[in-house]
Amino acid sequence: MNCVLEALQFRFACKNFDPEKRIPQDVLREIMECARLSPSSFGLEPWKFLVISDQNLRERLRPHCWNQPQITDCSHLVVILARSETVDADSPYVRACYERKGVSEEKIRASLERMKKYQQEEVLPRMSLYAWSSKQCYIALANIMTAAAAAGVDSCPIEGFEKDAVDRTLGLPRDDLQTAVMVALGYRKGEQSPRFRHPFEKVVEFIE
Ligand SMILES: Cc1cc2nc3c(=O)[nH]c(=O)nc-3n(C[C@H](O)[C@H](O)[C@H](O)COP(=O)(O)O)c2cc1C
């Protein structure tokens, strides 16, 4: 427990990265493995992770990301893509997620029916499939940041971007994978902003 708390105390939204420092490949792979192990609704893993070190691509992305320096100064920029159409209960992708469990056709059909009902009654009246997937991408985002912190790597979550322009720059197909959120990873340099938090009692209520 202490190591998680320590990692969370170490983590802050890093605004100034050292552009000279690179994350070693084995550390990067471990951080991304923590992303891959993230939980997802119905186990659909509605994401893909682009781990970008290509400086040219990052320079083309930066103007669409409020010109934030983290985009080009960090060691690696992780763009988390959310699935949209392919997480529809009727899609072959969803069926394949169930088939890999090696359960009977009857069980697969029952699970797909339950998911379809859930999507129709609980998800789609409130949000798009893209938004539903994005919510889950944020779990992976948190795991990436905590794993990075545990490895002494700094991070900055980034939602400040123009999604359509970013999707176009990344050459994403319009109908499925779309940018949900990004996270810059690297090593801090120089002055950083202080952190603020509400007191524990203000945000945590025990109901016994
Ligand atoms: C979903 C999300 C999106 C964010 N987007 C940005 C961003 O685009 N640029 C930035 O500098 N910080 C961004 N932040 C960082 C927050 O401003 C920061 O987490 C918050 O002020 C708390 O500070 P701390 O993370 O240092 O504790 C984002 C944070 C989250 C969780």
Side-chain angles (χ1 to χ4, degrees):
M1 186 57 203
N2 272 353
C3 63
V4 177
L5 190 56
E6 267 172 37
L8 294 175
Q9 281 162 346
F10 171 89
R11 189 215 62 80
F12 70 105
C14 182
K15 312 282 173 171
N16 301 308
F17 285 96
D18 185 342
E20 305 299 324
K21 275 187 149 174
R22 290 276 160 265
I23 305 169
Q25 200 61 22
D26 57 328
V27 174
L28 195 59
R29 280 197 77 89
E30 250 178 41
I31 294 171
M32 295 317 298
E33 176 65 355
C34 294
R36 189 179 76 91
L37 293 175
S38 300
S40 56
S41 186
F42 295 97
L44 293 183
E45 303 171 68
W47 44 57
K48 180 168 178 178
F49 307 102
L50 303 179
V51 184
I52 306 175
S53 52
D54 181 332
Q55 199 60 21
N56 181 278
L57 177 55
R58 292 197 281 152
E59 264 154 31
R60 287 191 289 123
L61 284 170
R62 185 168 156 172
H64 308 305
C65 302
W66 302 358
N67 200 30
Q68 299 189 66
Q70 300 97 306
I71 302 291
T72 46
D73 289 352
C74 69
S75 167
H76 292 79
L77 178 69
V78 180
V79 179
I80 307 181
L81 308 178
R83 291 186 174 276
S84 53
E85 247 88 305
T86 47
V87 290
D88 183 294
D90 287 328
S91 86
Y93 173 85
V94 170
R95 171 167 269 278
C97 284
Y98 279 97
E99 281 174 351
R100 67 185 172 170
K101 295 182 179 177
V103 295
S104 68
E105 178 60 26
E106 195 190 342
K107 273 197 171 151
I108 293 174
R109 289 222 181 111
S111 299
L112 292 175
E113 270 315 304
R114 197 167 54 243
M115 184 192 307
K116 191 170 181 155
K117 189 169 184 300
Y118 177 75
Q119 287 186 344
Q120 283 174 351
E121 292 177 6
E122 302 297 331
V123 178
L124 293 171
R126 296 181 180 84
M127 71 194 96
S128 64
L129 288 175
Y130 160 75
W132 185 52
S133 291
S134 292
K135 288 205 295 180
Q136 297 161 60
C137 287
Y138 280 64
I139 300 172
L141 167 72
N143 284 343
I144 290 172
M145 293 190 293
T146 306
V153 172
D154 293 305
S155 63
C156 186
I158 295 183
E159 214 176 35
F161 56 83
E162 297 146 24
K163 179 188 162 295
D164 291 346
V166 166
D167 286 352
R168 265 198 311 277
T169 308
L170 293 171
L172 301 173
R174 285 211 63 80
D175 55 344
D176 193 31
L177 287 167
Q178 300 173 38
T179 306
V181 66
M182 303 177 186
V183 53
L185 298 175
Y187 298 96
R188 66 188 78 183
K189 188 182 184 187
E191 247 344 75
Q192 305 288 342
S193 322
R195 295 177 83 188
F196 298 94
R197 284 297 184 275
H198 292 303
F200 190 92
E201 285 67 29
K202 190 168 172 193
V203 295
V204 180
E205 183 182 347
F206 292 97
I207 301 174
E208 289 164 349

